[in-house]
């Protein structure tokens, strides 16, 4: 019998991020507390740029954007937002969406599976994802529970369950 497997990845649906950004922009344009403060949120290349005339307003824009991401099912662990920076008369926050599991994070997850997971389960790093294989599907489900219970500081999804 062939081994069963699944992949652990860290991916974000770009269209969902775009939808959340558009919803946040619409709310910011309509809310009274954002009138006349130059508040905006938009793509700036691969990063997301939030700007307003005060530090509190730009943090409020980030809060609105985060709430829209959560509503669309995107983990906030995937959002890497910087600190507010003063640029001329405006405060700006640059944020980026983290995708892919770095080598060191993949090694952390693989070590957890090796140390605490069921025997006979193998974890193999493949680029920016981790392939987990076992003869038993029950063992694979136990590994998924184990990884979900551990709170890593990056977003994880399970795909290609075979």
């Amino acid at each position: 019998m062939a081994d069963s497997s699944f992949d652990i990845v860290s991916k974000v649906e770009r269209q969902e991020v775009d939808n959340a950004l558009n919803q946040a922009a619409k709310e910011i344009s309509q809310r009274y507390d954002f009138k006349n403060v130059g508040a905006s949120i938009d793509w700036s290349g691969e990063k997301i740029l939030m700007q307003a005339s005060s530090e509190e307003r730009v943090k409020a824009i980030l809060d609105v954007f985060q709430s829209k991401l959560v509503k669309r099912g995107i983990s906030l662990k995937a959002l890497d937002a910087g600190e507010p920076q003063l640029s001329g008369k405006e405060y700006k926050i640059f944020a980026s969406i983290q995708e892919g599991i770095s080598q060191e994070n993949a090694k952390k997850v693989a070590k957890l599976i090796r140390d605490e997971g069921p025997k006979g389960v193998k974890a193999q790093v493949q680029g920016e994802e981790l392939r987990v294989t076992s003869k038993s599907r029950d063992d694979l489900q136990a590994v998924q529970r184990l990884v979900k219970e551990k709170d890593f500081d990056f977003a994880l999804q399970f795909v290609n369950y075979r």
Side-chain angles (χ1 to χ4, degrees), residues 91-154:
Y91 283 88
K92 295 181 178 183
I93 293 179
F94 285 99
S96 60
I97 302 297
Q98 304 290 47
E99 288 195 297
I101 303 174
S102 69
Q103 287 291 330
E104 63 205 36
N105 288 339
K107 287 178 183 174
K108 282 183 200 173
V109 176
K111 182 172 176 10
L112 170 76
I113 293 168
R114 232 184 359 265
D115 294 347
E116 298 179 29
K119 298 289 179 226
V121 175
K122 295 182 190 79
Q124 182 181 13
V125 178
Q126 295 180 334
E128 293 188 337
E129 56 185 46
L130 194 68
R131 164 94 20 110
V132 181
T133 58
S134 174
K135 292 202 181 302
S136 165
R137 288 182 171 228
D138 293 340
D139 287 350
L140 291 179
Q141 289 174 341
V143 167
Q144 285 184 352
R145 276 193 303 277
L146 175 71
V147 171
K148 282 180 186 174
E149 287 169 3
K150 270 287 195 216
D151 192 27
F152 292 105
D153 56 349
F154 48 96

Side-chain angles (χ1 to χ4, degrees), residues 4-66:
S4 300
S5 69
F6 68 89
D7 295 336
I8 300 175
V9 297
S10 181
K11 290 190 175 143
V12 175
E13 188 70 39
R14 172 78 181 215
Q15 186 61 50
E16 290 297 326
V17 175
D18 203 36
N19 291 343
L21 185 122
N22 290 336
Q23 287 177 340
K26 185 175 181 183
E27 182 173 324
I28 288 164
S29 70
Q30 294 174 345
R31 269 181 40 181
Y32 178 76
D33 59 334
F34 286 119
K35 293 280 188 241
N36 301 324
V37 295
S40 69
I41 180 170
D42 207 352
W43 286 104
S44 173
E46 284 296 307
K47 293 188 179 278
I48 298 161
L49 171 65
M50 294 162 260
Q51 54 189 15
S53 60
S54 73
E55 189 173 353
E56 292 77 31
R57 287 291 126 227
V58 79
K59 285 182 178 176
I61 293 170
L62 177 61
D63 191 46
V64 168
F65 181 54
Q66 286 175 334

